[in-house]
Amino acid sequence: MARGQRKTLEEKISAKQELIGALTIRIESEKRELEALFEEKKRKELEAVSDLIADAGLEPYEVAEMLQQYIGSRTANAS
């Protein structure tokens, strides 16, 4: 069975460079998509916390104060 014409070394190098370029573009696209998914997750988590604060009838500054007190007492207990 006859084989097709073999690629030259320069053609092989060029083909690999094109493949790497295409894969680099794909990786960057996937990174952007992943970042968008992380941002969506963060937004949903913040919405859930915001809803919890509203349901409890608290103001954000009150929650911040409580968290600061909790962190302070936790740090003191860990020492």
Side-chain angles (χ1 to χ4, degrees):
M1 188 182 299
R3 293 175 57 158
Q5 186 177 8
R6 295 184 63 136
K7 290 184 179 180
T8 66
L9 188 54
E10 288 302 318
E11 290 171 327
K12 289 178 182 179
I13 290 171
S14 178
K16 288 296 177 188
Q17 287 174 328
E18 288 178 29
L19 177 62
I20 290 169
L23 290 172
T24 300
I25 291 169
R26 171 85 188 270
I27 288 170
E28 291 305 316
S29 174
E30 295 295 332
K31 283 181 180 179
R32 284 190 299 274
E33 187 175 335
L34 179 60
E35 186 61 33
L37 290 170
F38 279 132
E39 288 298 320
E40 181 180 353
K41 179 183 177 194
K42 182 178 179 179
R43 182 183 52 76
K44 286 185 177 189
E45 289 171 343
L46 289 173
E47 285 176 1
V49 170
S50 179
D51 290 345
L52 183 62
I53 291 169
D55 291 346
L58 298 169
E59 293 295 324
Y61 76 89
E62 293 174 297
V63 175
E65 287 176 3
M66 286 184 236
L67 284 172
Q68 287 175 341
Q69 289 173 0
Y70 173 76
I71 292 168
S73 67
R74 189 172 173 194
T75 304
N77 290 336
S79 298

